[in-house]
PDB file of all heavy atoms in Angstrom:
ATOM      1  N   ALA A 300      -3.532 -15.030  22.142  1.00 95.00           N
ATOM      2  CA  ALA A 300      -3.807 -14.331  23.403  1.00 95.00           C
ATOM      3  C   ALA A 300      -4.859 -13.244  23.281  1.00 95.00           C
ATOM      4  O   ALA A 300      -5.305 -12.696  24.294  1.00 95.00           O
ATOM      5  CB  ALA A 300      -2.505 -13.725  23.954  1.00 95.00           C
ATOM      6  N   THR A 309      -6.249  -0.647  24.250  1.00 93.00           N
ATOM      7  CA  THR A 309      -4.834  -0.796  24.612  1.00 93.00           C
ATOM      8  C   THR A 309      -4.112  -1.804  23.719  1.00 93.00           C
ATOM      9  O   THR A 309      -3.009  -2.249  24.043  1.00 93.00           O
ATOM     10  CB  THR A 309      -4.700  -1.241  26.085  1.00 93.00           C
ATOM     11  OG1 THR A 309      -5.285  -2.554  26.233  1.00 93.00           O
ATOM     12  CG2 THR A 309      -5.403  -0.269  27.018  1.00 93.00           C
ATOM     13  N   LEU A 314       0.270  -5.358  22.185  1.00 95.00           N
ATOM     14  CA  LEU A 314       0.996  -6.068  21.129  1.00 95.00           C
ATOM     15  C   LEU A 314       2.495  -5.808  21.228  1.00 95.00           C
ATOM     16  O   LEU A 314       3.313  -6.716  21.044  1.00 95.00           O
ATOM     17  CB  LEU A 314       0.472  -5.651  19.752  1.00 95.00           C
ATOM     18  CG  LEU A 314       1.180  -6.263  18.540  1.00 95.00           C
ATOM     19  CD1 LEU A 314       1.132  -7.793  18.591  1.00 95.00           C
ATOM     20  CD2 LEU A 314       0.556  -5.749  17.253  1.00 95.00           C
ATOM     21  N   ASN A 330      22.822 -15.116  23.346  1.00 66.00           N
ATOM     22  CA  ASN A 330      23.967 -14.986  24.236  1.00 66.00           C
ATOM     23  C   ASN A 330      24.509 -16.336  24.680  1.00 66.00           C
ATOM     24  O   ASN A 330      25.635 -16.430  25.167  1.00 66.00           O
ATOM     25  CB  ASN A 330      23.585 -14.161  25.471  1.00 66.00           C
ATOM     26  CG  ASN A 330      23.431 -12.688  25.143  1.00 66.00           C
ATOM     27  OD1 ASN A 330      23.988 -12.204  24.159  1.00 66.00           O
ATOM     28  ND2 ASN A 330      22.665 -11.981  25.943  1.00 66.00           N
ATOM     29  N   THR A 342      41.303 -15.122   8.486  1.00 37.00           N
ATOM     30  CA  THR A 342      42.122 -15.509   9.612  1.00 37.00           C
ATOM     31  C   THR A 342      41.949 -16.981   9.904  1.00 37.00           C
ATOM     32  O   THR A 342      40.979 -17.611   9.487  1.00 37.00           O
ATOM     33  CB  THR A 342      41.742 -14.696  10.864  1.00 37.00           C
ATOM     34  OG1 THR A 342      40.382 -14.946  11.160  1.00 37.00           O
ATOM     35  CG2 THR A 342      41.950 -13.205  10.625  1.00 37.00           C
ATOM     36  N   PRO A 352      29.014 -23.261   5.449  1.00 38.00           N
ATOM     37  CA  PRO A 352      28.482 -21.957   5.041  1.00 38.00           C
ATOM     38  C   PRO A 352      27.012 -21.766   5.345  1.00 38.00           C
ATOM     39  O   PRO A 352      26.533 -20.652   5.447  1.00 38.00           O
ATOM     40  CB  PRO A 352      28.738 -21.931   3.521  1.00 38.00           C
ATOM     41  CG  PRO A 352      28.883 -23.369   3.128  1.00 38.00           C
ATOM     42  CD  PRO A 352      29.522 -24.041   4.309  1.00 38.00           C
ATOM     43  N   PRO A 384      22.584   1.369  23.175  1.00 90.00           N
ATOM     44  CA  PRO A 384      22.272   0.412  24.246  1.00 90.00           C
ATOM     45  C   PRO A 384      20.775   0.106  24.255  1.00 90.00           C
ATOM     46  O   PRO A 384      19.965   0.935  23.839  1.00 90.00           O
ATOM     47  CB  PRO A 384      22.688   1.168  25.522  1.00 90.00           C
ATOM     48  CG  PRO A 384      23.626   2.225  25.064  1.00 90.00           C
ATOM     49  CD  PRO A 384      23.199   2.603  23.685  1.00 90.00           C
ATOM     50  N   VAL A 389      15.280   0.665  22.666  1.00 92.00           N
ATOM     51  CA  VAL A 389      13.896   0.203  22.802  1.00 92.00           C
ATOM     52  C   VAL A 389      12.902   1.361  22.897  1.00 92.00           C
ATOM     53  O   VAL A 389      11.930   1.411  22.133  1.00 92.00           O
ATOM     54  CB  VAL A 389      13.757  -0.751  23.998  1.00 92.00           C
ATOM     55  CG1 VAL A 389      12.285  -1.024  24.299  1.00 92.00           C
ATOM     56  CG2 VAL A 389      14.486  -2.062  23.716  1.00 92.00           C
ATOM     57  N   SER A 417      13.820  11.001  29.180  1.00 96.00           N
ATOM     58  CA  SER A 417      15.254  11.264  29.226  1.00 96.00           C
ATOM     59  C   SER A 417      16.012  10.349  28.265  1.00 96.00           C
ATOM     60  O   SER A 417      16.896  10.806  27.522  1.00 96.00           O
ATOM     61  CB  SER A 417      15.775  11.058  30.653  1.00 96.00           C
ATOM     62  OG  SER A 417      17.179  11.161  30.699  1.00 96.00           O
TER      63      SER A 417
END
Side-chain angles (χ1 to χ4, degrees):
T309 64
L314 177 57
N330 287 337
T342 60
V389 169
S417 174

